[in-house]
Amino acid sequence: MKNQNMFDLLLPLSPEQLNNLKQLKSTCTNIQNACLSGDFWKIANQTSNAKSLKKNELNDNDQIISIISAAQTGNVKSLSERLHEYFNKNNRKNRLLNAIDYKFHNIKDEKILILIILTQGKSEIPEEALSLYNFIMSRNSPNLNNLYYSIFVLRDISCNLFCQEGKNFSKRFKELGSNSLLNRCDSDIECENNYNKCSRNLLKNINNKEMILQPSFSYLKKAAKSILSTSYYTKKNPATAVVLTNQKITGRNSIKDVHHIEIDISNLNINYVPGDAIGIWYKNNTNLIKNILELLSIKTFDKIKIKNNIITIFDALQNNFELTTNTKNIVKNYANFTKNTILKNIASHDADLQQYIIHTPLIKMITDYPSKLSSEQLISLLCPLTPRLYSISSSQAAIHDEVHITVGVVQKLISGCSYSGGASGYLAQSLKSNSIIKIFIETNNNFRLPINQNIPIIMIGSGTGIAPFRSFMQQRDNDNSKGKNWIFFGNPNFTEDFLYQTEWQQYIKKGLITNMHLAWSQDQEHKVYIQDRIRENGKEIWSWIEEGAQIYVCGNAYKMAKDVEKALLDIISENNKLNIENSYEFLKNLRLNKRYQRNVY
Ligand SMILES: Cc1cc2nc3c(=O)[nH]c(=O)nc-3n(C[C@H](O)[C@H](O)[C@H](O)COP(=O)(O)OP(=O)(O)OC[C@H]3O[C@@H](n4cnc5c(N)ncnc54)[C@H](O)[C@@H]3O)c2cc1C
């Protein structure tokens, strides 16, 4: 004890342990000592993590509710998070899961399951919920007699069939014997009131069912929490960033207008990884606002109350409401306000109304049928403005204080007039260097590079779908990853639309990109698309799949993603000698094992 120094005394070790440690230290170099200290630190951390996880494990006696969030877009995610918080505040134990991480085979053990889902396009199931949907719809789906369920369906503006997939889910849950906790809540993006009502009723009904529900969640004890990640800046609390560059990257004669935008995030403490997107709060176009106000005989400086603030109608239209999307409700209410018989007639036939909103932007409707409205009436027609998401096209490891995006302007030509999308028009046309922009990071754990850097990857993207692959390649270049990289890219025209051409060429020269196949649909008489290139390379794609490659698809959900999937199914069927049903199973398994990831919109 006499020779013991102060530090030894502070160590919580027995004399024997101390002796062993000293002996070990005397034989180690400085580097070995440093490594050992790191290793001990890791062991200590693992133990404390394990302890804290234990604390979070759900007890058999707890009443458990599973909230499944099924969409890549912010609205569904934020509603799911709000419901999770709401139940927490009301002492209802619940867990929040991303649909893609949900172990759906365990659904038979659930007691209360709340599904929050977005339907989009021609009523499409979002990527995250596909596996769950297929499982529930399959012949192997289990009996769900013990399940109480509730479904909240949000409808994307572009969706033709109102919440059809939500209806299919409900119908199937009933067929499998489960009980509805609450009538399905269907909503379009104007969902605030619906959400508030549904969440209150849900809580009330769950409280009423307490005696019936006997928990039996042994499997949950094993399950680590799969809570959706959050960051400091959120949709509701966005960061204010500065635009560094806004450059058009399609040629002068291109039919597309695509911009590369760089945003400064230094000092903002924003972190992102390849696969994430940024959410952008955009401003509506000044001329569009002036036109609308003039057509409705409303003065620009009329005052209006928005969330307890008095602001001008001009400011309200610029920052708070959607002006570029038309909905059935808008047409119906505008027809009532204006008493316009043509509009009333359209509004009374659902199929006509659906076609009308697809082909008639709000400003065109008002131009065709102008009328006198008050500011309050106008505001009551409109949907609240929602931010848009853009895939990040840079890697923070390589670019550090910037985030890059690749924006294609949505343009519609109707009766000789061109109409731009709200956010894409703003980003491409209004933002200059030094402009201020409100952003937040939207994490996407369903679109990630493999952790093992030796795994080959196949990236398939058309148009702006190439964006996340620029981020992937920057990351793999930065990490010196050894895995092979194959890009399939499609766009209309080689000379006009080869996005980031020189960067890909550098990567090919370096040997980072091992294969690249391009499809220029309009460069020859017959159209060539990305799926044609995939088919042409079927044998090699199959050998990459056999090697363990991960496949990524990004871009247009309604055409490209479907055609590409069909091509992949054909390749699997041909090379693995499987019929189409089994090929589908094979692809489903790739998806389940995160070897087939899509980010389509
Ligand atoms: C996860 C995710 C990642 C995304 N990444 C990118 C990206 O990297 N680059 C990019 O450019 N976009 C990306 N998008 C799409 C982007 O979020 C916007 O949807 C797009 O820019 C259109 O928004 P807008 O406000 O300009 O058009 P809006 O004002 O919303 O739409 C105006 C009109 O055009 C219609 N419309 C909207 N989109 C289309 C379309 N694609 N084709 C035809 N009509 C349409 C609308 O129905 C409406 O009638 C992504 C979307 C998601 C969900």
Side-chain angles (χ1 to χ4, degrees):
M1 270 298 187
K2 228 170 55 186
N3 293 335
Q4 234 172 343
N5 70 31
M6 277 294 289
F7 289 112
D8 289 349
L9 286 171
L10 291 172
L11 287 171
L13 297 174
S14 69
E16 194 189 345
Q17 284 173 316
L18 253 181
N19 215 11
N20 288 342
L21 187 66
K22 273 186 187 163
Q23 271 179 18
L24 179 65
K25 275 199 310 201
S26 67
T27 62
C28 286
T29 63
N30 283 348
I31 291 179
Q32 284 171 326
N33 278 329
C35 289
L36 278 176
S37 98
D39 209 39
F40 284 143
W41 172 245
K42 194 170 135 201
I43 294 167
N45 256 343
Q46 276 167 351
T47 323
S48 67
N49 282 347
K51 273 188 192 142
S52 66
L53 194 66
K54 258 197 186 127
K55 252 199 232 162
N56 280 325
E57 274 179 0
L58 297 161
N59 189 313
D60 255 359
N61 297 323
D62 288 335
Q63 183 66 71
I64 297 158
I65 303 160
S66 295
I67 303 170
I68 314 255
S69 162
Q72 290 170 342
T73 62
N75 263 346
V76 165
K77 190 173 157 189
S78 68
L79 283 192
S80 308
E81 284 168 352
R82 278 173 64 186
L83 192 64
H84 173 60
E85 283 303 312
Y86 177 65
F87 283 156
N88 280 347
K89 272 192 197 135
N90 287 283
N91 297 322
R92 278 284 155 212
K93 280 257 156 57
N94 74 98
R95 58 180 191 146
L96 172 60
L97 297 133
N98 190 329
I100 203 144
D101 298 325
Y102 182 60
K103 305 278 177 287
F104 49 79
H105 284 104
N106 291 329
I107 196 168
K108 59 182 184 323
D109 298 320
E110 296 280 6
K111 283 286 182 215
I112 303 176
L113 187 124
I114 297 161
L115 182 64
I116 304 186
I117 189 166
L118 175 92
T119 57
Q120 48 198 353
K122 294 184 182 114
S123 198
E124 308 269 340
I125 283 284
E127 192 67 16
E128 287 88 341
L130 257 181
S131 299
L132 172 65
Y133 184 79
N134 290 337
F135 176 70
I136 288 290
M137 296 298 162
S138 75
R139 268 171 297 170
N140 303 333
S141 48
N143 186 306
L144 297 178
N145 281 339
N146 293 327
L147 178 74
Y148 280 86
Y149 74 94
S150 172
I151 301 181
F152 193 100
V153 194
L154 277 180
R155 188 193 67 148
D156 185 66
I157 304 155
S158 59
C159 186
N160 300 340
L161 298 166
F162 195 76
C163 307
Q164 185 56 44
E165 302 305 347
K167 290 178 191 161
N168 296 350
F169 256 119
S170 284
K171 184 164 168 259
R172 187 65 178 148
F173 274 136
K174 271 188 202 135
E175 283 168 5
L176 297 172
S178 46
N179 313 290
S180 167
L181 258 181
L182 190 71
N183 283 343
R184 200 184 58 249
C185 303
D186 292 344
S187 188
D188 56 22
I189 51 170
E190 305 153 84
C191 61
E192 191 60 25
N193 292 343
N194 247 353
Y195 165 77
N196 288 336
K197 200 169 113 203
C198 286
S199 51
R200 271 197 312 272
N201 288 341
L202 254 179
L203 184 68
K204 199 170 86 193
N205 291 356
I206 289 169
N207 289 342
N208 288 343
K209 296 270 181 298
E210 185 151 40
M211 300 309 287
I212 310 168
L213 297 162
Q214 293 301 318
S216 63
F217 298 102
S218 50
Y219 78 93
L220 281 176
K221 282 189 157 184
K222 288 175 237 142
K225 286 208 309 176
S226 173
I227 305 298
L228 301 168
S229 59
T230 47
S231 71
Y232 178 70
Y233 293 108
T234 58
K235 185 174 161 182
K236 284 212 167 126
N237 175 34
T240 304
V242 177
V243 173
L244 294 170
T245 311
N246 185 353
Q247 191 188 357
K248 184 170 188 223
I249 53 170
T250 38
R252 207 179 310 144
N253 299 316
S254 174
I255 53 168
K256 293 190 170 188
D257 184 9
V258 179
H259 285 238
H260 171 73
I261 298 176
E262 299 183 355
I263 300 165
D264 183 5
I265 51 166
S266 54
N267 305 321
L268 284 176
N269 203 8
I270 284 181
N271 296 310
Y272 66 86
V273 286
D276 286 344
I278 58 174
I280 294 183
W281 283 100
Y282 68 97
K283 286 175 185 289
N284 278 309
N285 180 284
T286 309
N287 289 334
L288 174 66
I289 302 169
K290 283 183 184 160
N291 275 345
I292 291 175
L293 293 177
E294 203 178 311
L295 287 161
L296 299 176
S297 308
I298 299 173
K299 290 200 180 70
T300 326
F301 294 106
D302 256 14
K303 291 281 179 355
I304 188 114
K305 195 172 178 185
I306 306 281
K307 291 181 195 154
N308 290 331
N309 290 324
I310 309 281
I311 55 174
T312 64
I313 182 73
F314 185 91
D315 285 348
L317 294 192
Q318 184 151 57
N319 301 308
N320 297 80
F321 295 96
E322 295 275 341
L323 298 182
T324 48
T325 49
N326 205 353
T327 68
K328 290 181 181 176
N329 274 346
I330 293 180
V331 179
K332 280 180 190 164
N333 293 332
Y334 188 67
N336 285 338
F337 282 146
T338 58
K339 303 192 173 43
N340 182 293
T341 46
I342 303 172
L343 282 179
K344 277 192 163 178
N345 198 20
I346 295 170
S348 61
H349 298 95
D350 200 58
D352 293 349
L353 185 54
Q354 181 62 41
Q355 283 308 308
Y356 184 77
I357 60 166
I358 291 173
H359 300 294
T360 321
L362 177 72
I363 178 66
K364 178 163 168 42
M365 177 180 79
I366 297 178
T367 310
D368 290 346
Y369 308 109
S371 183
K372 192 170 165 33
L373 247 60
S374 69
S375 295
E376 284 76 15
Q377 281 175 320
L378 171 59
I379 295 299
S380 74
L381 289 174
L382 302 172
C383 305
L385 189 134
T386 48
R388 308 288 195 265
L389 298 180
Y390 293 90
S391 307
I392 292 175
S393 55
S394 54
S395 147
Q396 197 165 21
I399 303 290
H400 307 293
D401 287 341
E402 296 172 16
V403 58
H404 300 176
I405 51 172
T406 313
V407 179
V409 182
V410 168
Q411 259 159 346
K412 282 185 166 183
L413 196 66
I414 301 169
S415 316
C417 279
S418 176
Y419 300 90
S420 296
S424 56
Y426 161 77
L427 287 167
Q429 292 145 13
S430 305
L431 288 188
K432 309 270 174 288
S433 61
N434 289 327
S435 296
I436 298 293
I437 186 171
K438 297 266 184 211
I439 61 166
F440 58 94
I441 299 293
E442 183 82 5
T443 52
N444 182 1
N445 291 327
N446 310 316
F447 205 73
R448 289 283 186 249
L449 275 168
I451 293 166
N452 179 342
Q453 297 178 3
N454 294 324
I455 289 180
I457 60 173
I458 301 174
M459 295 158 277
I460 303 167
S462 64
T464 53
I466 197 69
F469 303 139
R470 182 175 182 263
S471 157
F472 279 16
M473 286 303 88
Q474 285 184 358
Q475 183 74 39
R476 280 203 145 186
D477 187 34
N478 182 78
D479 296 347
N480 237 333
S481 303
K482 296 289 171 278
K484 294 187 290 180
N485 302 299
W486 188 347
I487 291 186
F488 285 91
F489 174 60
N491 235 353
N493 193 276
F494 170 76
T495 46
E496 305 295 325
D497 306 309
F498 198 166
L499 309 181
Y500 303 114
Q501 177 180 9
T502 52
E503 294 184 23
W504 307 127
Q505 282 165 339
Q506 293 295 333
Y507 286 143
I508 291 170
K509 231 179 181 173
K510 263 186 166 180
L512 181 75
I513 294 181
T514 35
N515 304 43
M516 183 153 194
H517 286 91
L518 308 164
W520 307 111
S521 57
Q522 302 193 358
D523 273 357
Q524 57 285 302
E525 235 167 67
H526 67 286
K527 295 220 156 75
V528 175
Y529 292 109
I530 211 165
Q531 60 272 19
D532 301 317
R533 296 285 178 246
I534 291 171
R535 283 205 168 84
E536 285 162 17
N537 290 279
K539 279 225 155 8
E540 198 175 350
I541 290 182
W542 177 249
S543 79
W544 279 48
I545 293 175
E546 283 189 312
E547 277 175 52
Q550 291 195 186
I551 302 171
Y552 301 86
V553 181
C554 184
N556 183 296
Y558 309 123
K559 187 94 187 70
M560 184 275 301
K562 282 182 186 152
D563 293 338
V564 164
E565 182 152 307
K566 190 153 187 330
L568 290 173
L569 283 168
D570 288 345
I571 289 170
I572 293 165
S573 159
E574 218 171 286
N575 291 276
N576 207 12
K577 307 277 174 280
L578 295 174
N579 63 24
I580 202 70
E581 248 176 49
N582 290 337
S583 308
Y584 189 75
E585 273 304 298
F586 186 95
L587 195 64
K588 203 170 96 184
N589 279 328
L590 286 186
R591 190 195 298 274
L592 282 177
N593 293 313
K594 306 226 165 179
R595 286 186 53 200
Y596 175 46
Q597 302 182 27
R598 302 199 308 172
N599 179 7
V600 293
Y601 45 86

